[in-house]
Amino acid sequence: MSKTLSDLLAIDGMASRYGCGLNPKLKQAIQADLRFPAAAASPLPDESDLKGPLPANVTRLTPKHSPAKRKQA
């Protein structure tokens, strides 16, 4: 299913150049589903939600490296 959803997003990227594409809410739901396939799709948290003090039993995780950049064909 994830291959189908990623194909839909690729098609949407091409179609948006010509003035048509997926409904923005549907596109956000598909992107969320691809990010978290084992859990229910949910909206991304705001940056303000991620900043500030954390409880004593919570450790903030930081990325070790930047995500890979996609090459254009």
Side-chain angles (χ1 to χ4, degrees), residues 20-73:
C20 59
L22 293 174
N23 181 323
K25 289 184 181 181
L26 176 61
K27 184 176 179 178
Q28 287 177 347
I30 291 172
Q31 290 170 336
D33 191 46
L34 287 173
R35 276 192 301 276
F36 304 106
S42 60
L44 289 173
D46 287 336
E47 291 226 5
S48 61
D49 296 339
L50 303 174
K51 294 181 180 176
L54 296 174
N57 63 343
V58 175
T59 302
R60 188 179 310 273
L61 299 176
T62 57
K64 292 187 178 190
H65 63 286
S66 62
K69 297 187 182 207
R70 296 187 67 169
K71 295 181 180 178
Q72 295 292 329

Side-chain angles (χ1 to χ4, degrees), residues 11-22:
I11 292 168
D12 177 62
M14 295 176 69
S16 63
R17 291 187 228 163
Y18 298 101
C20 59
L22 293 174

Side-chain angles (χ1 to χ4, degrees), residues 1-3 5-7 9 29-37 41:
M1 184 69 166
S2 64
K3 174 72 172 134
L5 295 177
S6 61
D7 288 345
L9 289 176
I30 291 172
Q31 290 170 336
D33 191 46
L34 287 173
R35 276 192 301 276
F36 304 106

